[in-house]
Amino acid sequence: MNIFKRARVIYILHRYAIHHELWEIAINKLGLLQGLSAVKKAHLRELSTLFLYEKNIYGVQGFQLTDEMRVIIAAQACLPILGLGIQLFSAWSNVVVYPGAFQVSRDERDEFGIVHHEQHLLSGESWLRGPVIFSWQDIEMDMQRWQQGHNVVVHEIAHKLDSLNGSANGMPPLHFSMHPEQWAATFSEAYQLFTQRLEHHQRVCINPYAATNPAEFFAVFSEYFFCAPDILKTHFADVYHLLQLYYRQDPLHRMSTLKN
């Protein structure tokens, strides 16, 4: 970071810091942040401050967001980049929040090349070169059931990170020390195993939506990495290890400290 960018960041953090009381109220409602050290929480607060400063977060359909709601969104959005940096969010600026699940219309081509007009009810959406969209009702539900591996904010942020290479394909730009061949082989094998289990009606402990395509596989598995790391590590240890290297975090170790 050059001296001018650093000076700007210092100014923002000093001038627009999230109020301590508001921060504590918000993060105490987020179970997936349990086990973070004081240093990590302080860094997350800084990232969240920058997120709130740089992003335009607004409600639609008459939905009014409070400061607490914005902080709750920011803290969850910044958790995946805790070891990566806010610069990964520089390509987009808008966060749209619906009061509940929202409907979208799309033209989709089937296996025979026939285009169908489809209606979908969504809890979140991430546009390649546009906003991130959330349902507040689903955010609230995820706050209550976070240990089940559901988090719409983490899911859509994972899509944003995945898209940094130009397309959402399940392989975000990797760190220099990571090997793309290993990532591709490990995720492909896990994806095939997961889809085969579903096809044979075998029990899976992870949201079946992960089988939709490689991009959704990465996003859903990122949810489990942060919210239910024990489930992911038990059933897909190799994938957990690669996500640990990519996100530069170890949620399972963090949460295990709560039991000691």
Side-chain angles (χ1 to χ4, degrees):
M1 183 183 298
N2 65 43
I3 188 171
F4 298 106
K5 288 183 178 180
R6 182 170 178 78
R8 177 178 178 272
V9 167
I10 292 174
Y11 170 77
I12 294 171
L13 295 178
H14 176 73
R15 179 69 176 81
Y16 299 97
I18 300 170
H19 191 278
H20 177 74
E21 182 178 354
L22 174 60
W23 175 252
E24 290 298 320
I25 290 173
I27 66 171
N28 284 338
K29 295 182 177 181
L30 297 172
L32 79 167
L33 302 184
Q34 291 182 17
L36 281 177
S37 67
V39 172
K40 293 295 185 183
K41 284 184 179 178
H43 184 42
L44 183 63
R45 183 182 176 189
E46 290 179 345
L47 291 173
S48 300
T49 296
L50 296 172
F51 185 90
L52 291 173
Y53 180 82
E54 295 175 353
K55 307 304 177 191
N56 181 26
I57 308 176
Y58 59 93
V60 292
Q61 296 182 344
F63 186 57
Q64 298 295 318
L65 288 167
T66 66
D67 289 341
E68 181 184 319
M69 291 175 178
R70 289 187 171 89
V71 173
I72 285 173
I73 292 172
Q76 293 178 94
C78 290
L79 178 62
I81 61 163
L82 191 58
L84 305 177
I86 196 70
Q87 71 278 0
L88 296 186
F89 288 169
S90 61
W92 51 280
S93 57
N94 292 316
V95 179
V96 181
V97 185
Y98 282 81
F102 51 95
Q103 193 170 71
V104 297
S105 301
R106 291 196 180 99
D107 289 332
E108 298 184 356
R109 190 181 303 274
D110 65 19
E111 58 183 317
F112 303 107
I114 301 173
V115 176
H116 303 270
H117 188 70
E118 303 285 348
Q119 298 282 342
H120 299 277
L121 195 63
L122 303 179
S123 61
E125 189 172 32
S126 175
W127 294 10
L128 183 62
R129 295 180 179 83
V132 179
I133 308 171
F134 301 123
S135 153
W136 178 254
Q137 184 180 46
D138 285 273
I139 291 176
E140 285 192 310
M141 289 175 59
D142 291 341
M143 289 163 61
Q144 299 169 9
R145 60 178 184 176
W146 66 274
Q147 290 179 307
Q148 298 177 27
H150 299 282
N151 191 288
V152 64
V153 178
V154 170
H155 184 103
E156 301 306 332
I157 290 301
H159 280 315
K160 278 296 186 185
L161 296 174
D162 186 12
S163 300
L164 288 174
N165 61 8
S167 63
N169 57 12
M171 181 184 284
L174 303 179
H175 309 305
F176 181 75
S177 59
M178 300 180 69
H179 303 288
E181 297 82 5
Q182 180 189 12
W183 180 284
T186 300
F187 270 80
S188 294
E189 182 180 350
Y191 181 70
Q192 291 174 8
L193 177 61
F194 188 75
T195 54
Q196 287 172 3
R197 288 177 179 175
L198 289 174
E199 289 170 357
H200 291 87
H201 306 288
Q202 297 176 3
R203 182 175 177 271
V204 293
C205 297
I206 292 176
N207 187 350
Y209 189 65
T212 304
N213 55 52
E216 296 300 347
F217 188 81
F218 172 71
V220 171
F221 272 51
S222 291
E223 289 182 79
Y224 279 79
F225 178 75
F226 287 105
C227 300
D230 53 335
I231 295 176
L232 182 59
K233 182 70 176 291
T234 298
H235 298 279
F236 292 92
D238 290 343
V239 172
Y240 182 90
H241 175 66
L242 288 180
L243 290 177
Q244 182 182 349
L245 293 176
Y246 172 69
Y247 286 112
R248 293 172 172 164
Q249 298 185 55
D250 189 357
L252 183 59
H253 174 73
R254 182 172 74 230
M255 293 181 184
S256 67
T257 62
L258 300 174
K259 303 176 183 178
N260 298 331

